[in-house]
Amino acid sequence: MANVTVTFTITEFCLHTGVSAEELNEIVGLGVIEPREDETFDDHALTVVQRALRLRHELALDWPGIAVALTLLEENAQLRQENRFLRQRLSRFISHP
């Protein structure tokens, strides 16, 4: 089964997310998302910006604050995944009563 990636032009991305071109430029500048080589954005970038917009709305954060929050959330998810993996490996060596 092939993976399908949806791409958006800058205009389409702004229309779909509701961010202005200026905000998009700031989001990209902060490293929250990156455009593809052809200057389009993929569906993963769309998901990240939608999450960022929820943080902005719910926590009233500015874009730099959102960038930090997203980084911390991503690191937390990676650590949880690593912890889950290590617990599974460890459980093979620990006898359960």
Side-chain angles (χ1 to χ4, degrees):
M1 180 180 261
N3 279 344
V4 177
T5 301
V6 177
T7 59
F8 302 89
T9 65
I10 293 171
T11 302
E12 291 169 336
F13 195 84
C14 289
L15 287 172
H16 197 73
T17 60
V19 299
S20 67
E22 183 179 290
E23 287 176 307
L24 181 58
N25 191 39
E26 184 174 2
I27 293 166
V28 169
L30 290 167
V32 174
I33 59 171
E34 290 185 25
R36 297 164 43 104
E37 288 182 18
D38 60 358
E39 297 298 315
T40 61
F41 294 91
D42 60 19
D43 47 358
H44 176 70
L46 179 74
T47 302
V48 171
V49 169
Q50 288 172 334
R51 188 174 193 192
L53 289 169
R54 280 193 304 274
L55 286 170
R56 186 171 192 208
H57 175 73
E58 293 173 6
L59 302 176
L61 295 173
D62 59 3
W63 289 115
I66 291 169
V68 170
L70 288 173
T71 299
L72 292 173
L73 288 168
E74 183 178 320
E75 287 177 8
N76 185 314
Q78 288 173 349
L79 289 170
R80 284 178 183 267
Q81 183 178 3
E82 183 179 324
N83 189 25
R84 191 170 23 258
F85 172 75
L86 292 172
R87 283 178 183 264
Q88 287 173 348
R89 289 188 66 192
L90 183 62
S91 70
R92 292 186 293 173
F93 301 105
I94 298 175
S95 62
H96 298 283

